Amino acid sequence: MYTSHEDVGYDFEDAPKEKKTLRPHPDIDGGWAWMIVLSSFFVHILIMGSQMALGVLNVEWLEEFHQSRGLTAWVSSLSMGITLIVGPFIGLFINTCGCRWTAIVGGVVNALGWVLSAYAASVPYLFITFGVAAGFGSGMAYLPAVVMVSRYFQKRRALAQGLSTTGTGFGTFLMTVLLKYLCAEYGWRNAMFIQGAVSLNLCVCGALMRPLATAEGRPDSAEKDLPPALPTEPVPLIEPVKPSGLEGREEGREGATAVHGLCGSPASGRRDLGHHRQDAFALRALKTMSRLTWRIKRGFRDWYAGYFGTTSLFTNRMFVAFIFWALFAYSSFVIPFIHLPEIVNLYHLSEQNDAFPLTSIIAIVHIFGKVILGIIADLPCISVWNVFLVANFTLVMSIFILPLIHTYTGLAVICALIGFSSGYFSLMPVVTEDLVGIEHLANAYGIIICANGISALLGPPFAGWIYDITQKYDFSFYISGLLYMVGLLFLLIQLCVRIIAQSRKKYIEGTRV
């Protein structure tokens, strides 16, 4: 039912379509593909990096609005959560408009959300402007950045995703420093206004997401399936004649007389010309609307079929288990970023943390983790699933250990482990594509990041509420780590079932031979 990841790397356009040819595309694994990696890298800096640095603004909001930690944490959680939760709906935009325009519009919406948040008078106002508006814009730019990298790479997909997603680590480090500086120098309101201007660079990143064209520049099947084009120019009633010689001059005079007779006068001729131009404009507008309507219908049909049709992704049991894992996993990574600044203050480690923030340690090591895990996963002798699972187990053990450490050095070591093991995020698109195939990647990965978004949305406020009740963050980490283990068990059970089914199939085929 789903295409194998061995089939990718051939001619396909920005919109999903059926593959008609198996001829490799010249830009796959090279050429413009590296510009796509660069574009995705900056998208991760501007979106994920900014969101991971929201702990700085969270402290400012606590001081400004004097609300509870649980309520204030909802601002950051809404932004992170909605960025990911809207994934399935962004898949519809991608199917209809393509990755490029989806990312450009997302950049504008995200910047608008930051700017409007600078005028916030209360925490609920931030829920709308920053949580919903900026979060939705982030989601529109984030999913195309991930999907385009997978479409442009075949042999080195894990490495390419690792390099592009290192923007999260660089962005966390850079945006933490930038937001701290801007808040200290200009106040948090002006800092958000400036950050909104910086976020407009997402439009530039989106413009770089050039759709893959066929090798000879022929129109793809999507263009071939378009409805018949309407004529854009009116057909002239009288063909002009170029006379030659005396006979030609006579014919020319006769033609001129005929034209004068039909038009009546030069003034009426000008009026007719104006009518012809209006007709041409109307026909062009009708043609554009016809194509746009067809693309919307086709995009919605593909999107609907992927979720609810006979080829629904939810008929893949392994993919459903992957969704359950994603529901519990992401909060264990997000909670430290949001609440580490507060934890450091509670442990009286502010001076050491100001010299080198723990969140920056996670961010820096996270960069190396994504690249190294991507290189390892691309090795022919190693399964990407093995790398993915080992990294997950390392992360969950680090989450369990973190509350037991009360020294800066110990916390720095645990944060380094969290940063490196969370490098498995670069493998998530590769693992998702392995489950469903490249043509279903936009819809499937949209569902996965939606599950991550629900986890990110509920995790930090939950940790804040637990602190308000117990005056400790310890139970927040223990419960999130336990839920993470539950998600991993769902995934492991289905992996075992898959391996047993494959072994049984090979055994049956062997006995037939």
Side-chain angles (χ1 to χ4, degrees):
M1 180 170 55
Y2 300 103
T3 56
S4 168
H5 64 89
E6 301 295 333
D7 296 331
V8 300
Y10 304 100
D11 290 346
F12 46 82
E13 261 287 48
D14 195 48
K17 67 169 195 168
E18 294 181 351
K19 294 188 284 290
K20 302 277 184 173
T21 177
L22 294 178
R23 182 173 43 76
H25 191 282
D27 277 337
I28 294 294
D29 289 313
W32 194 258
W34 295 110
M35 290 300 296
I36 298 296
V37 171
L38 181 65
S39 171
S40 181
F41 174 79
F42 280 106
V43 169
H44 280 82
I45 285 179
L46 294 169
I47 293 178
M48 306 310 290
S50 297
Q51 291 185 347
M52 292 303 175
L54 288 180
V56 176
L57 290 173
N58 193 59
V59 174
E60 298 288 337
W61 293 331
L62 283 169
E63 294 178 359
E64 175 78 15
F65 300 114
H66 304 291
Q67 298 291 335
S68 68
R69 288 177 173 84
L71 182 66
T72 306
W74 267 104
V75 179
S76 304
S77 296
L78 272 174
S79 180
M80 291 182 181
I82 289 179
T83 296
L84 304 175
I85 287 173
V86 297
F89 305 101
I90 303 307
L92 175 60
F93 282 98
I94 291 176
N95 287 344
T96 304
C97 307
C99 288
R100 172 181 278 174
W101 281 107
T102 301
I104 291 174
V105 174
V108 174
V109 176
N110 177 261
L112 186 63
W114 278 92
V115 170
L116 292 177
S117 299
Y119 302 99
S122 63
V123 171
Y125 181 95
L126 287 172
F127 289 167
I128 304 300
T129 57
F130 192 75
V132 177
F136 189 81
S138 297
M140 291 188 72
Y142 173 68
L143 184 58
V146 176
V147 171
M148 286 300 287
V149 173
S150 289
R151 289 182 175 179
Y152 265 88
F153 282 88
Q154 176 186 3
K155 296 178 181 177
R156 292 175 285 185
R157 181 173 293 135
L159 176 60
Q161 289 287 3
L163 290 173
S164 64
T165 54
T166 54
T168 302
F170 280 108
T172 303
F173 180 73
L174 294 174
M175 292 303 174
T176 299
V177 175
L178 178 62
L179 285 175
K180 277 188 174 181
Y181 172 78
L182 292 176
C183 288
E185 291 293 323
Y186 305 106
W188 69 268
R189 295 182 185 275
N190 291 326
M192 296 194 77
F193 198 92
I194 295 170
Q195 183 62 33
V198 173
S199 296
L200 286 173
N201 286 288
L202 289 169
C203 300
V204 180
C205 296
L208 292 174
M209 296 178 190
R210 187 175 70 191
L212 276 168
T214 54
E216 281 90 7
R218 298 190 311 269
D220 61 281
S221 63
E223 290 294 326
K224 292 176 184 177
D225 294 336
L226 283 171
L230 296 170
T232 57
E233 296 293 341
V235 179
L237 299 176
I238 301 173
E239 289 292 331
V241 179
K242 292 184 178 180
S244 60
L246 181 60
E247 183 179 348
R249 284 194 296 273
E250 289 293 326
E251 292 175 1
R253 284 193 293 270
E254 292 173 4
T257 304
V259 170
H260 182 75
L262 285 172
C263 298
S265 68
S268 63
R270 284 193 295 271
R271 283 196 299 271
D272 287 345
L273 182 60
H275 289 314
H276 287 321
R277 288 177 178 173
Q278 290 176 359
D279 291 343
F281 176 78
L283 287 170
R284 280 195 293 268
L286 185 61
K287 176 184 175 182
T288 302
M289 290 300 298
S290 175
R291 286 174 173 262
L292 181 60
T293 303
W294 179 88
R295 291 198 66 174
I296 292 173
K297 287 182 178 179
R298 181 177 181 272
F300 182 80
R301 184 180 66 245
D302 293 342
W303 177 82
Y304 183 86
Y307 290 130
F308 309 108
T310 56
T311 60
S312 171
L313 295 165
F314 297 106
T315 59
N316 185 333
R317 288 185 298 177
M318 185 66 194
F319 179 70
V320 173
F322 196 48
I323 295 173
F324 274 106
W325 164 84
L327 275 172
F328 300 118
Y330 198 66
S331 63
S332 299
F333 178 68
V334 173
I335 286 174
F337 272 101
I338 299 299
H339 293 294
L340 261 178
E342 278 290 305
I343 292 172
V344 166
N345 291 335
L346 291 173
Y347 293 165
H348 306 292
L349 302 172
S350 301
E351 185 176 345
Q352 292 168 291
N353 188 66
D354 288 340
F356 204 95
L358 292 173
T359 52
S360 296
I361 293 175
I362 297 178
I364 293 171
V365 181
H366 189 66
I367 296 170
F368 293 101
K370 285 186 171 181
V371 176
I372 293 172
L373 292 179
I375 292 173
I376 294 173
D378 274 337
L379 295 175
C381 57
I382 295 179
S383 169
V384 64
W385 278 102
N386 291 337
V387 180
F388 183 77
L389 291 174
V390 170
N392 270 273
F393 276 111
T394 305
L395 178 57
V396 74
M397 294 308 299
S398 302
I399 295 298
F400 277 123
I401 295 172
L402 191 145
L404 304 175
I405 308 298
H406 291 175
T407 64
Y408 178 82
T409 304
L411 288 173
V413 172
I414 295 300
C415 287
L417 279 174
I418 292 174
F420 186 84
S421 57
S422 61
Y424 76 79
F425 290 150
S426 66
L427 305 179
M428 284 175 58
V430 183
V431 171
T432 305
E433 187 272 328
D434 181 72
L435 291 176
V436 303
I438 189 66
E439 292 193 3
H440 297 279
L441 180 60
N443 288 340
Y445 198 68
I447 296 173
I448 295 301
I449 65 174
C450 176
N452 282 157
I454 295 172
S455 182
L457 182 66
L458 300 179
F462 173 77
W465 287 327
I466 293 295
Y467 177 84
D468 290 338
I469 295 171
T470 64
Q471 296 301 304
K472 284 185 176 182
Y473 279 107
D474 298 18
F475 293 105
S476 304
F477 287 96
Y478 293 145
I479 295 174
S480 64
L482 185 62
L483 292 175
Y484 199 153
M485 287 295 294
V486 171
L488 272 177
L489 285 176
F490 272 107
L491 200 55
L492 281 173
I493 290 170
Q494 283 301 319
L495 272 174
C496 292
V497 171
R498 185 187 189 188
I499 293 171
I500 293 171
Q502 288 176 348
S503 301
R504 186 176 299 171
K505 183 179 179 180
K506 289 181 181 179
Y507 174 77
I508 293 173
E509 290 176 352
T511 54
R512 287 177 180 175
V513 175

